[in-house]
Amino acid sequence: MSEAALDTAPPAAPLRLSDRPDQRYLLREFYELYRRSSAGGSSQIRGHQRAVREAISRLLTGDPEIIERVPETKPAAAHLARAVDRGLGGQMAPMVRALSNVMPGLSWLHGYDKMPAGLSRKFAYAELAGPHGPIISTELILGLVAFAPKCTYPAHAHQGLTESYYILSGAVSENDAGVSGIGSMIFNPPGHVHRITVDDSEPALLSYAWMGPPELLRAQKMKFTRKRPQRGERA
């Protein structure tokens, strides 16, 4: 091929969700999780589950662009093999299995400018979809959180965003108000101050969804609060 031909070659087409079947299958598992899981009689949780499903459905039909990130790791990711093994033996096995197929390409991050001493070794998160990718969405953020045993994730809140966690592996407590195990959902309305503690002997792997206005999703900043929430407290 001549140099002139190379100069005029069209740019490569952007990657799409249809080019990454494993990520598409994972989105389908997220959809089914928010379709089949109980809302416990809560109309607020039921509405959130429906909103997440509808946003995922639009992603699946819209074939969004994918921005491939350079894989990154953090110390907490060293516990993923154990968390996956435990998760494959529970009711969340289909979701965990789909996640394990995309995990080698994930970027595990901290997301905070300043972190409490010791937390950097016990916590990491990876985004799966959102305004900054890898699956581009302006309607929601989907991701994973990995916790090492004995992790205490300090009090924080998400202003303007509704958050839900599903426990894929391990056990955690939010605001010391009971224990959530595999298959449980934790729901945090906008502004709800929450603190998470993790089982003493096993890691925990959680999926999460954030819903809110596109401008807040795009510019969301993660930061802790000095206030320790009381049981059942909201900001």
Side-chain angles (χ1 to χ4, degrees):
M1 183 179 290
S2 68
E3 290 186 8
L6 288 173
D7 289 341
T8 59
L15 281 173
R16 296 286 176 183
L17 183 60
S18 56
D19 298 317
R20 292 291 183 266
D22 284 340
Q23 295 189 18
R24 185 176 182 84
Y25 295 141
L26 179 55
L27 279 184
R28 284 169 49 185
E29 292 295 340
F30 265 99
Y31 179 91
E32 289 299 320
L33 181 60
Y34 280 82
R35 183 176 74 88
R36 295 182 177 179
S37 297
S38 173
S42 167
S43 59
Q44 190 175 15
I45 293 175
R46 188 180 302 113
H48 170 72
Q49 290 172 324
R50 182 175 59 252
V52 172
R53 289 197 310 271
E54 290 173 352
I56 293 174
S57 180
R58 285 187 285 272
L59 281 178
L60 289 168
T61 57
D63 199 23
E65 184 177 352
I66 289 182
I67 298 177
E68 293 193 311
R69 292 178 170 179
V70 176
E72 296 185 43
T73 190
K74 292 289 184 288
H79 298 271
L80 283 172
R82 174 68 175 181
V84 167
D85 283 345
R86 301 280 287 184
L88 287 173
Q91 67 188 82
M92 306 299 281
M95 179 74 154
V96 175
R97 192 172 294 112
L99 284 169
S100 66
N101 290 332
V102 305
M103 278 186 179
L106 295 181
S107 293
W108 291 94
L109 308 169
H110 285 147
Y112 293 92
D113 295 331
K114 296 181 180 180
M115 298 182 69
L119 182 61
S120 64
R121 301 193 61 81
K122 293 187 174 183
F123 151 80
Y125 79 97
E127 286 191 356
L128 302 168
H132 307 293
I135 302 171
I136 298 299
S137 171
T138 60
E139 293 189 75
L140 85 168
I141 295 176
L142 300 175
L144 300 175
V145 180
F147 292 122
K150 296 185 178 180
C151 178
T152 295
Y153 191 68
H156 63 289
H158 309 288
Q159 300 302 323
L161 299 180
T162 301
E163 174 187 64
S164 57
Y165 290 112
Y166 277 98
I167 316 302
L168 307 181
S169 181
V172 304
S173 178
E174 182 178 283
N175 297 350
D176 300 315
V179 179
S180 298
I182 293 177
S184 298
M185 180 209 224
I186 298 174
F187 179 72
N188 295 314
H192 177 53
V193 179
H194 50 287
R195 170 181 173 269
I196 295 173
T197 53
V198 182
D199 183 81
D200 287 347
S201 59
E202 294 290 343
L205 179 64
L206 285 62
S207 67
Y208 68 87
W210 288 355
M211 295 289 297
E215 63 274 12
L216 290 184
L217 290 172
R218 187 171 56 251
Q220 178 64 200
K221 299 293 183 182
M222 298 171 68
K223 62 181 180 180
F224 297 120
T225 177
R226 293 184 180 181
K227 180 182 179 182
R228 177 168 174 163
Q230 300 299 312
R231 184 176 297 186
E233 178 185 9
R234 293 188 182 180

